[in-house]
Amino acid sequence: MSPSGGPQPLSLMFLLGMGLASENINCPSRCSCQYLEVNCTGQQLQEFPMTIPLDTRQLILATNKISYLPAVELSFLADLVYLDCRENLLGDDLDFTFIGVAKLVYLDLSFNNLTQVTFSTFSQLISLVVLKMSDNPNLVAIEKDAFANNTWLRYLDVSRTGLLFLDTSTVRDLPNLRFLALSDNLWHCNCSFLDFTTWMTKSNVHFPDAENITCYMPEGLRGVKVPAVEVQLRFNCLTQLHKQDYIFLCLIGFCIFSAGTVAAWLAGICAVIYEVHTAKGEDDEEEEEDTTTQNWL
């Protein structure tokens, strides 16, 4: 015993060793565990690891071959705040996958095979601050209300994906958004994209890769930086009419002209019928007067 009556330093070290040993008992195979953290980086895992300690706060599954995240197993990790799944094979449908990890603050899904993001994908992640989805070449669609519940989102990375268009309301309605990465996408800078370019120039959001946010289509605007293309789009979309617009206006004019002609023709027929009817009525009255006069005589 020590002078203070406590255990000897050797005994204390033994107890700590026993504690660490008990923690390692629940550590998933081929993963390393330390206090509140499980790290399975680069272990060629093909499935989500089992027997993860329930009090885990940080889970790193980077650089594996995992193609599916089981919602049930994830829901057991109710205290999870950090999840790194970069460089895996996640794809197709992630809807309702994260329903049990509402405390998650950091989520990295970069370098995967994501195809779309809907409202149901991240709707339960009400504490999410950082979301990385870069380098998902098959990610072609993000619904405009996909982040409606992620009001704490501060950093969003969708660079190097297959996105052609992003609705302005998708990011404009995020009150805490400060960083938005959009580079190296196949942006279609048409009239539908004008509202988004206007928002980019007026918002307080920082674009860390602004030099590489360029148009891919149409051919005449390829390589032009997206914020700078606003003036050109405004000129093309608000001051010039396309061939389809001229055709539409011609059809409208023809319809108005035809309707006016038909209306005039019908009015003329009605007028003639009215005159004939009136004249006939007058003749009948004159004949009646003549007949009455003759009878009186």
Side-chain angles (χ1 to χ4, degrees):
M1 299 290 290
S2 65
S4 62
Q8 295 289 346
L10 184 59
S11 301
L12 182 59
M13 291 177 62
F14 175 77
L15 291 174
L16 289 174
M18 290 295 293
L20 291 174
S22 63
E23 286 186 3
N24 288 332
I25 291 175
N26 295 324
C27 191
S29 175
R30 290 189 285 174
C31 300
S32 62
C33 300
Q34 53 185 333
Y35 182 65
L36 302 180
E37 177 185 299
V38 176
N39 192 335
C40 306
T41 302
Q43 297 301 313
Q44 301 297 310
L45 298 179
Q46 296 185 2
E47 296 182 352
F48 185 82
M50 299 293 114
T51 67
I52 296 177
L54 300 183
D55 60 349
T56 299
R57 301 287 183 87
Q58 182 169 327
L59 177 58
I60 304 175
L61 303 174
T63 319
N64 284 289
K65 298 180 179 180
I66 300 172
S67 59
Y68 174 70
L69 293 177
V72 175
E73 281 75 4
L74 269 178
S75 67
F76 293 150
L77 308 177
D79 293 326
L80 196 65
V81 296
Y82 184 103
L83 178 58
D84 185 351
C85 295
R86 70 182 186 277
E87 295 185 55
N88 276 281
L89 302 176
L90 299 174
D92 297 330
D93 191 3
L94 287 179
D95 288 356
F96 305 106
T97 297
F98 306 103
I99 57 176
V101 285
K103 295 181 181 179
L104 202 64
V105 173
Y106 180 100
L107 177 60
D108 192 343
L109 296 171
S110 57
F111 293 94
N112 276 279
N113 295 322
L114 305 185
T115 58
Q116 64 175 351
V117 176
T118 70
F119 173 77
S120 301
T121 306
F122 304 121
S123 60
Q124 301 299 316
L125 301 181
I126 57 177
S127 302
L128 194 62
V129 174
V130 176
L131 176 58
K132 297 182 178 181
M133 296 188 293
S134 66
D135 299 280
N136 278 275
N138 297 318
L139 179 59
V140 296
I142 297 179
E143 289 186 358
K144 65 179 182 179
D145 60 346
F147 309 122
N149 286 359
N150 311 121
T151 55
W152 288 104
L153 194 61
R154 183 178 179 86
Y155 183 99
L156 175 62
D157 188 352
V158 290
S159 57
R160 296 179 297 280
T161 68
L163 289 176
L164 309 177
F165 173 79
L166 188 63
D167 193 278
T168 309
S169 63
T170 306
V171 289
R172 181 187 58 202
D173 298 336
L174 294 174
N176 294 295
L177 186 66
R178 294 295 178 269
F179 300 90
L180 178 58
L182 301 169
S183 65
D184 298 309
N185 287 316
L186 305 179
W187 299 118
H188 281 204
C189 297
N190 50 27
C191 293
S192 299
F193 206 59
L194 174 59
D195 189 37
F196 189 82
T197 60
T198 303
W199 172 82
M200 288 182 65
T201 57
K202 295 182 178 180
S203 71
N204 295 322
V205 176
H206 175 62
F207 303 94
D209 51 359
E211 294 296 319
N212 295 320
I213 305 176
T214 59
C215 299
Y216 182 76
M217 292 291 290
E219 184 70 29
L221 296 177
R222 181 170 297 181
V224 179
K225 296 178 183 178
V226 168
V229 82
E230 179 191 1
V231 176
Q232 184 66 37
L233 286 180
R234 191 173 296 278
F235 177 77
N236 291 342
C237 301
L238 302 182
T239 63
Q240 291 185 351
L241 296 177
H242 297 285
K243 180 180 179 180
Q244 295 85 346
D245 299 321
Y246 286 110
I247 294 175
F248 177 75
L249 291 176
C250 289
L251 290 174
I252 292 295
F254 176 77
C255 292
I256 293 175
F257 174 77
S258 300
T261 302
V262 172
W265 179 71
L266 291 175
I269 291 177
C270 291
V272 171
I273 293 175
Y274 177 77
E275 291 179 0
V276 171
H277 181 73
T278 302
K280 183 178 181 181
E282 292 177 354
D283 293 340
D284 291 341
E285 289 180 359
E286 291 179 357
E287 290 180 0
E288 289 179 358
E289 290 178 359
D290 293 342
T291 303
T292 302
T293 303
Q294 290 177 0
N295 292 335
W296 183 74
L297 294 174

mmCIF file of all heavy atoms in Angstrom, residues 23-33 38-53 59-61 64 66:
data_model
loop_
_atom_site.group_PDB
_atom_site.id
_atom_site.type_symbol
_atom_site.label_atom_id
_atom_site.label_comp_id
_atom_site.label_asym_id
_atom_site.label_seq_id
_atom_site.Cartn_x
_atom_site.Cartn_y
_atom_site.Cartn_z
ATOM 1 N N GLU A 23 -11.606 -3.451 -23.156
ATOM 2 C CA GLU A 23 -12.078 -2.686 -24.309
ATOM 3 C C GLU A 23 -11.770 -3.417 -25.604
ATOM 4 O O GLU A 23 -12.573 -3.464 -26.527
ATOM 5 C CB GLU A 23 -11.417 -1.307 -24.319
ATOM 6 C CG GLU A 23 -11.978 -0.354 -23.255
ATOM 7 C CD GLU A 23 -11.390 1.042 -23.396
ATOM 8 O OE1 GLU A 23 -10.611 1.241 -24.359
ATOM 9 O OE2 GLU A 23 -11.687 1.904 -22.575
ATOM 10 N N ASN A 24 -10.590 -4.007 -25.699
ATOM 11 C CA ASN A 24 -10.180 -4.677 -26.936
ATOM 12 C C ASN A 24 -10.996 -5.931 -27.206
ATOM 13 O O ASN A 24 -11.053 -6.401 -28.329
ATOM 14 C CB ASN A 24 -8.695 -5.021 -26.865
ATOM 15 C CG ASN A 24 -7.818 -3.787 -26.978
ATOM 16 O OD1 ASN A 24 -8.220 -2.812 -27.604
ATOM 17 N ND2 ASN A 24 -6.650 -3.821 -26.358
ATOM 18 N N ILE A 25 -11.621 -6.490 -26.156
ATOM 19 C CA ILE A 25 -12.431 -7.689 -26.350
ATOM 20 C C ILE A 25 -13.583 -7.400 -27.315
ATOM 21 O O ILE A 25 -13.930 -8.220 -28.158
ATOM 22 C CB ILE A 25 -12.973 -8.195 -24.996
ATOM 23 C CG1 ILE A 25 -11.826 -8.747 -24.151
ATOM 24 C CG2 ILE A 25 -14.025 -9.264 -25.208
ATOM 25 C CD1 ILE A 25 -12.241 -9.171 -22.756
ATOM 26 N N ASN A 26 -14.180 -6.177 -27.224
ATOM 27 C CA ASN A 26 -15.309 -5.817 -28.059
ATOM 28 C C ASN A 26 -14.902 -5.143 -29.363
ATOM 29 O O ASN A 26 -15.754 -4.665 -30.100
ATOM 30 C CB ASN A 26 -16.246 -4.884 -27.281
ATOM 31 C CG ASN A 26 -16.878 -5.572 -26.088
ATOM 32 O OD1 ASN A 26 -17.186 -6.757 -26.160
ATOM 33 N ND2 ASN A 26 -17.058 -4.840 -25.003
ATOM 34 N N CYS A 27 -13.639 -5.074 -29.636
ATOM 35 C CA CYS A 27 -13.180 -4.408 -30.847
ATOM 36 C C CYS A 27 -13.392 -5.323 -32.047
ATOM 37 O O CYS A 27 -13.043 -6.508 -32.014
ATOM 38 C CB CYS A 27 -11.700 -4.073 -30.712
ATOM 39 S SG CYS A 27 -11.103 -2.966 -32.021
ATOM 40 N N PRO A 28 -13.968 -4.818 -33.138
ATOM 41 C CA PRO A 28 -14.195 -5.652 -34.325
ATOM 42 C C PRO A 28 -12.890 -6.212 -34.876
ATOM 43 O O PRO A 28 -11.828 -5.604 -34.745
ATOM 44 C CB PRO A 28 -14.844 -4.685 -35.321
ATOM 45 C CG PRO A 28 -15.389 -3.581 -34.494
ATOM 46 C CD PRO A 28 -14.484 -3.446 -33.319
ATOM 47 N N SER A 29 -12.992 -7.354 -35.504
ATOM 48 C CA SER A 29 -11.829 -8.000 -36.098
ATOM 49 C C SER A 29 -11.180 -7.091 -37.149
ATOM 50 O O SER A 29 -11.872 -6.440 -37.936
ATOM 51 C CB SER A 29 -12.251 -9.325 -36.740
ATOM 52 O OG SER A 29 -11.175 -9.921 -37.423
ATOM 53 N N ARG A 30 -9.875 -7.033 -37.156
ATOM 54 C CA ARG A 30 -9.059 -6.251 -38.085
ATOM 55 C C ARG A 30 -9.194 -4.737 -37.892
ATOM 56 O O ARG A 30 -8.779 -3.953 -38.741
ATOM 57 C CB ARG A 30 -9.378 -6.613 -39.541
ATOM 58 C CG ARG A 30 -8.905 -8.013 -39.925
ATOM 59 C CD ARG A 30 -9.033 -8.237 -41.411
ATOM 60 N NE ARG A 30 -10.411 -8.448 -41.813
ATOM 61 C CZ ARG A 30 -10.820 -8.562 -43.068
ATOM 62 N NH1 ARG A 30 -9.936 -8.439 -44.061
ATOM 63 N NH2 ARG A 30 -12.079 -8.781 -43.367
ATOM 64 N N CYS A 31 -9.797 -4.308 -36.796
ATOM 65 C CA CYS A 31 -9.927 -2.890 -36.488
ATOM 66 C C CYS A 31 -9.146 -2.578 -35.220
ATOM 67 O O CYS A 31 -8.869 -3.465 -34.412
ATOM 68 C CB CYS A 31 -11.392 -2.498 -36.294
ATOM 69 S SG CYS A 31 -12.430 -2.811 -37.746
ATOM 70 N N SER A 32 -8.773 -1.340 -35.042
ATOM 71 C CA SER A 32 -8.113 -0.904 -33.818
ATOM 72 C C SER A 32 -9.072 -0.012 -33.039
ATOM 73 O O SER A 32 -9.797 0.792 -33.625
ATOM 74 C CB SER A 32 -6.826 -0.143 -34.140
ATOM 75 O OG SER A 32 -7.112 1.026 -34.893
ATOM 76 N N CYS A 33 -9.063 -0.159 -31.737
ATOM 77 C CA CYS A 33 -9.993 0.581 -30.894
ATOM 78 C C CYS A 33 -9.235 1.298 -29.786
ATOM 79 O O CYS A 33 -8.281 0.770 -29.227
ATOM 80 C CB CYS A 33 -11.024 -0.359 -30.273
ATOM 81 S SG CYS A 33 -12.037 -1.249 -31.487
ATOM 82 N N VAL A 38 -13.282 3.755 -33.089
ATOM 83 C CA VAL A 38 -13.022 2.494 -33.785
ATOM 84 C C VAL A 38 -12.476 2.852 -35.168
ATOM 85 O O VAL A 38 -13.121 3.580 -35.932
ATOM 86 C CB VAL A 38 -14.291 1.636 -33.914
ATOM 87 C CG1 VAL A 38 -13.998 0.385 -34.732
ATOM 88 C CG2 VAL A 38 -14.832 1.262 -32.547
ATOM 89 N N ASN A 39 -11.313 2.329 -35.503
ATOM 90 C CA ASN A 39 -10.652 2.649 -36.766
ATOM 91 C C ASN A 39 -10.425 1.366 -37.560
ATOM 92 O O ASN A 39 -9.684 0.486 -37.139
ATOM 93 C CB ASN A 39 -9.316 3.345 -36.502
ATOM 94 C CG ASN A 39 -8.728 3.954 -37.768
ATOM 95 O OD1 ASN A 39 -9.014 3.513 -38.882
ATOM 96 N ND2 ASN A 39 -7.910 4.980 -37.597
ATOM 97 N N CYS A 40 -11.081 1.279 -38.723
ATOM 98 C CA CYS A 40 -10.967 0.095 -39.582
ATOM 99 C C CYS A 40 -10.403 0.469 -40.951
ATOM 100 O O CYS A 40 -10.712 -0.171 -41.964
ATOM 101 C CB CYS A 40 -12.335 -0.563 -39.758
ATOM 102 S SG CYS A 40 -13.184 -0.977 -38.219
ATOM 103 N N THR A 41 -9.597 1.480 -41.020
ATOM 104 C CA THR A 41 -9.078 1.988 -42.291
ATOM 105 C C THR A 41 -8.245 0.940 -43.034
ATOM 106 O O THR A 41 -7.377 0.284 -42.452
ATOM 107 C CB THR A 41 -8.205 3.239 -42.045
ATOM 108 O OG1 THR A 41 -8.990 4.236 -41.389
ATOM 109 C CG2 THR A 41 -7.668 3.787 -43.352
ATOM 110 N N GLY A 42 -8.532 0.780 -44.334
ATOM 111 C CA GLY A 42 -7.700 -0.038 -45.217
ATOM 112 C C GLY A 42 -7.602 -1.496 -44.850
ATOM 113 O O GLY A 42 -6.563 -2.120 -45.078
ATOM 114 N N GLN A 43 -8.684 -2.085 -44.368
ATOM 115 C CA GLN A 43 -8.656 -3.492 -43.975
ATOM 116 C C GLN A 43 -9.361 -4.413 -44.975
ATOM 117 O O GLN A 43 -9.643 -5.569 -44.671
ATOM 118 C CB GLN A 43 -9.301 -3.651 -42.592
ATOM 119 C CG GLN A 43 -8.566 -2.917 -41.484
ATOM 120 C CD GLN A 43 -7.137 -3.391 -41.355
ATOM 121 O OE1 GLN A 43 -6.864 -4.600 -41.338
ATOM 122 N NE2 GLN A 43 -6.196 -2.441 -41.265
ATOM 123 N N GLN A 44 -9.690 -3.883 -46.163
ATOM 124 C CA GLN A 44 -10.350 -4.664 -47.215
ATOM 125 C C GLN A 44 -11.682 -5.260 -46.738
ATOM 126 O O GLN A 44 -12.085 -6.339 -47.176
ATOM 127 C CB GLN A 44 -9.425 -5.787 -47.709
ATOM 128 C CG GLN A 44 -8.104 -5.300 -48.281
ATOM 129 C CD GLN A 44 -8.298 -4.441 -49.518
ATOM 130 O OE1 GLN A 44 -9.011 -4.826 -50.448
ATOM 131 N NE2 GLN A 44 -7.675 -3.272 -49.536
ATOM 132 N N LEU A 45 -12.349 -4.555 -45.841
ATOM 133 C CA LEU A 45 -13.643 -5.035 -45.346
ATOM 134 C C LEU A 45 -14.684 -4.949 -46.449
ATOM 135 O O LEU A 45 -14.777 -3.951 -47.165
ATOM 136 C CB LEU A 45 -14.087 -4.195 -44.145
ATOM 137 C CG LEU A 45 -13.192 -4.220 -42.912
ATOM 138 C CD1 LEU A 45 -13.765 -3.305 -41.832
ATOM 139 C CD2 LEU A 45 -13.045 -5.644 -42.384
ATOM 140 N N GLN A 46 -15.494 -5.978 -46.593
ATOM 141 C CA GLN A 46 -16.567 -6.000 -47.580
ATOM 142 C C GLN A 46 -17.934 -5.805 -46.940
ATOM 143 O O GLN A 46 -18.917 -5.587 -47.645
ATOM 144 C CB GLN A 46 -16.540 -7.316 -48.360
ATOM 145 C CG GLN A 46 -15.272 -7.499 -49.177
ATOM 146 C CD GLN A 46 -15.310 -8.747 -50.046
ATOM 147 O OE1 GLN A 46 -16.297 -9.471 -50.070
ATOM 148 N NE2 GLN A 46 -14.224 -9.012 -50.759
ATOM 149 N N GLU A 47 -17.991 -5.890 -45.629
ATOM 150 C CA GLU A 47 -19.236 -5.694 -44.912
ATOM 151 C C GLU A 47 -19.008 -4.794 -43.708
ATOM 152 O O GLU A 47 -17.883 -4.652 -43.211
ATOM 153 C CB GLU A 47 -19.816 -7.036 -44.451
ATOM 154 C CG GLU A 47 -20.221 -7.959 -45.593
ATOM 155 C CD GLU A 47 -20.841 -9.252 -45.077
ATOM 156 O OE1 GLU A 47 -20.798 -9.474 -43.833
ATOM 157 O OE2 GLU A 47 -21.346 -10.032 -45.895
ATOM 158 N N PHE A 48 -20.089 -4.186 -43.248
ATOM 159 C CA PHE A 48 -20.033 -3.342 -42.065
ATOM 160 C C PHE A 48 -19.579 -4.184 -40.871
ATOM 161 O O PHE A 48 -20.125 -5.262 -40.622
ATOM 162 C CB PHE A 48 -21.418 -2.748 -41.802
ATOM 163 C CG PHE A 48 -21.474 -1.758 -40.678
ATOM 164 C CD1 PHE A 48 -21.110 -0.445 -40.884
ATOM 165 C CD2 PHE A 48 -21.901 -2.153 -39.413
ATOM 166 C CE1 PHE A 48 -21.173 0.478 -39.848
ATOM 167 C CE2 PHE A 48 -21.967 -1.244 -38.375
ATOM 168 C CZ PHE A 48 -21.600 0.074 -38.594
ATOM 169 N N PRO A 49 -18.572 -3.773 -40.116
ATOM 170 C CA PRO A 49 -18.053 -4.590 -39.012
ATOM 171 C C PRO A 49 -19.063 -4.724 -37.872
ATOM 172 O O PRO A 49 -19.746 -3.768 -37.514
ATOM 173 C CB PRO A 49 -16.808 -3.819 -38.557
ATOM 174 C CG PRO A 49 -17.059 -2.415 -38.996
ATOM 175 C CD PRO A 49 -17.836 -2.505 -40.262
ATOM 176 N N MET A 50 -19.119 -5.906 -37.313
ATOM 177 C CA MET A 50 -20.007 -6.164 -36.191
ATOM 178 C C MET A 50 -19.269 -5.903 -34.867
ATOM 179 O O MET A 50 -18.091 -5.596 -34.849
ATOM 180 C CB MET A 50 -20.497 -7.611 -36.241
ATOM 181 C CG MET A 50 -21.294 -7.957 -37.501
ATOM 182 S SD MET A 50 -22.888 -7.093 -37.604
ATOM 183 C CE MET A 50 -22.603 -6.033 -39.024
ATOM 184 N N THR A 51 -19.970 -6.054 -33.778
ATOM 185 C CA THR A 51 -19.441 -5.937 -32.404
ATOM 186 C C THR A 51 -18.726 -4.613 -32.174
ATOM 187 O O THR A 51 -17.713 -4.561 -31.465
ATOM 188 C CB THR A 51 -18.489 -7.106 -32.060
ATOM 189 O OG1 THR A 51 -17.302 -7.020 -32.866
ATOM 190 C CG2 THR A 51 -19.157 -8.452 -32.284
ATOM 191 N N ILE A 52 -19.230 -3.544 -32.748
ATOM 192 C CA ILE A 52 -18.678 -2.227 -32.455
ATOM 193 C C ILE A 52 -19.201 -1.788 -31.086
ATOM 194 O O ILE A 52 -20.400 -1.882 -30.818
ATOM 195 C CB ILE A 52 -19.092 -1.208 -33.537
ATOM 196 C CG1 ILE A 52 -18.493 -1.607 -34.886
ATOM 197 C CG2 ILE A 52 -18.654 0.199 -33.167
ATOM 198 C CD1 ILE A 52 -18.911 -0.712 -36.027
ATOM 199 N N PRO A 53 -18.349 -1.314 -30.201
ATOM 200 C CA PRO A 53 -18.806 -0.857 -28.887
ATOM 201 C C PRO A 53 -19.921 0.181 -29.007
ATOM 202 O O PRO A 53 -19.843 1.090 -29.844
ATOM 203 C CB PRO A 53 -17.541 -0.249 -28.271
ATOM 204 C CG PRO A 53 -16.416 -0.964 -28.945
ATOM 205 C CD PRO A 53 -16.883 -1.222 -30.345
ATOM 206 N N LEU A 59 -16.214 6.608 -35.777
ATOM 207 C CA LEU A 59 -16.076 5.359 -36.526
ATOM 208 C C LEU A 59 -15.457 5.662 -37.883
ATOM 209 O O LEU A 59 -16.004 6.445 -38.672
ATOM 210 C CB LEU A 59 -17.442 4.696 -36.705
ATOM 211 C CG LEU A 59 -17.482 3.407 -37.532
ATOM 212 C CD1 LEU A 59 -16.569 2.340 -36.933
ATOM 213 C CD2 LEU A 59 -18.917 2.887 -37.638
ATOM 214 N N ILE A 60 -14.320 5.041 -38.157
ATOM 215 C CA ILE A 60 -13.597 5.276 -39.407
ATOM 216 C C ILE A 60 -13.569 3.981 -40.208
ATOM 217 O O ILE A 60 -12.962 2.988 -39.800
ATOM 218 C CB ILE A 60 -12.162 5.761 -39.126
ATOM 219 C CG1 ILE A 60 -12.185 7.005 -38.250
ATOM 220 C CG2 ILE A 60 -11.435 6.049 -40.436
ATOM 221 C CD1 ILE A 60 -10.820 7.491 -37.814
ATOM 222 N N LEU A 61 -14.239 4.002 -41.369
ATOM 223 C CA LEU A 61 -14.321 2.827 -42.246
ATOM 224 C C LEU A 61 -13.678 3.114 -43.594
ATOM 225 O O LEU A 61 -13.992 2.452 -44.592
ATOM 226 C CB LEU A 61 -15.791 2.430 -42.447
ATOM 227 C CG LEU A 61 -16.599 2.119 -41.188
ATOM 228 C CD1 LEU A 61 -18.066 1.898 -41.539
ATOM 229 C CD2 LEU A 61 -16.037 0.892 -40.483
ATOM 230 N N ASN A 64 -12.096 0.828 -47.812
ATOM 231 C CA ASN A 64 -12.497 -0.572 -47.761
ATOM 232 C C ASN A 64 -13.344 -0.887 -48.986
ATOM 233 O O ASN A 64 -13.329 -0.132 -49.973
ATOM 234 C CB ASN A 64 -13.248 -0.865 -46.462
ATOM 235 C CG ASN A 64 -12.316 -0.964 -45.262
ATOM 236 O OD1 ASN A 64 -11.560 -1.921 -45.127
ATOM 237 N ND2 ASN A 64 -12.366 0.037 -44.386
ATOM 238 N N ILE A 66 -16.806 -1.746 -48.667
ATOM 239 C CA ILE A 66 -18.155 -1.850 -48.096
ATOM 240 C C ILE A 66 -19.163 -1.248 -49.079
ATOM 241 O O ILE A 66 -19.002 -0.115 -49.533
ATOM 242 C CB ILE A 66 -18.225 -1.131 -46.743
ATOM 243 C CG1 ILE A 66 -17.236 -1.760 -45.768
ATOM 244 C CG2 ILE A 66 -19.631 -1.175 -46.170
ATOM 245 C CD1 ILE A 66 -17.095 -1.006 -44.459
#
